[in-house]
Amino acid sequence: EASCYDSKSDFQRCIEVYKELLKDKKDINDVLLGTIYNNMAIVMLKNKNYKESEAFFDRAYMLRYEQAPETISHVIIESAAFYYETGDMDKFHSKIALGIELCRQHNDYGYLIEGLMQLEKAYASSGETDKLRKVYLELLEISEKHSLRQSIISSLNKLIGLEIRSKNFAEAY
């Protein structure tokens, strides 16, 4: 239900649903509770409630650290968006680098792609063309390795566009 409200950008209703779930948190296992905290943090971030977002990311991190360490990279990568949104680029880069490294260690290509896409956003907004190129090449490599057709097309299109804007026409071809 919360996901439906989130997809409709009805963040207040989404928050209400999560808060209702949290009223009976003693009946929720810790892994699921960590997911709820993480989702709540994301919704709070979208709603620009930064203090609450950070608090829920911290709770999610602690539960994942204790109960599901193989998925802690998910919280780290998603919390990196918090630091990007609040303009703390040092913490953003630190978190995203850690999250990406953990994804590589656990062969979690889904969240690896998510982390790289956050890096793409940061590098594009700061005009770091060489770093952006490396991100696109890595996204392309991962997509090809896992036969992710849509992601391959997207990565190629972005890489070609970057090369054209950089006037590297031979590379774009």
Side-chain angles (χ1 to χ4, degrees):
E1 183 179 0
S3 295
C4 291
Y5 288 117
D6 185 19
S7 69
K8 293 179 181 181
S9 297
D10 187 349
F11 303 128
Q12 270 316 116
R13 184 68 183 123
C14 184
I15 290 167
E16 290 170 17
V17 171
Y18 281 128
K19 283 184 176 180
E20 190 65 33
L21 282 171
L22 291 174
K23 284 182 181 177
D24 296 321
K25 65 181 176 184
K26 66 182 180 311
D27 297 330
I28 301 172
N29 72 52
D30 285 346
V31 174
L32 181 56
L33 187 58
T35 300
I36 292 170
Y37 285 157
N38 194 67
N39 291 349
M40 185 74 143
I42 293 167
V43 173
M44 291 293 189
L45 181 60
K46 290 177 183 177
N47 206 36
K48 307 225 181 285
N49 187 337
Y50 300 123
K51 187 176 180 179
E52 288 289 316
S53 177
E54 186 174 32
F56 278 107
F57 275 128
D58 288 344
R59 290 180 201 158
Y61 179 87
M62 292 309 298
L63 281 172
R64 292 265 174 98
Y65 181 80
E66 295 168 359
Q67 303 297 324
E70 69 281 356
T71 63
I72 200 151
S73 60
H74 300 191
V75 176
I76 293 169
I77 287 172
E78 289 169 346
S79 70
F82 170 84
Y83 295 106
Y84 182 85
E85 178 81 18
T86 58
D88 190 339
M89 296 310 288
D90 288 338
K91 280 192 178 177
F92 166 78
H93 284 290
S94 173
K95 289 274 188 182
I96 207 72
L98 176 59
I100 286 172
E101 181 55 35
L102 289 170
C103 286
R104 286 185 180 123
Q105 288 175 15
H106 293 283
N107 198 28
D108 185 351
Y109 71 88
Y111 264 85
L112 177 56
I113 289 172
E114 176 67 29
L116 290 170
M117 289 174 65
Q118 284 195 39
L119 265 182
E120 171 195 6
K121 182 177 169 183
Y123 292 154
S125 71
S126 64
E128 297 180 71
T129 304
D130 290 336
K131 291 179 179 179
L132 190 55
R133 182 177 294 110
K134 288 178 183 176
V135 167
Y136 289 149
L137 289 169
E138 187 169 357
L139 282 167
L140 182 59
E141 180 184 330
I142 294 164
S143 301
E144 288 175 337
K145 180 179 178 182
H146 297 283
S147 302
L148 304 171
R149 189 169 189 269
Q150 283 301 115
S151 187
I152 292 169
I153 293 168
S154 176
S155 298
L156 279 172
N157 282 335
K158 289 176 182 182
L159 186 58
I160 290 167
L162 176 69
E163 298 302 355
I164 290 171
R165 285 188 304 279
S166 301
K167 300 192 184 328
N168 295 331
F169 300 113
E171 293 294 323
Y173 181 70

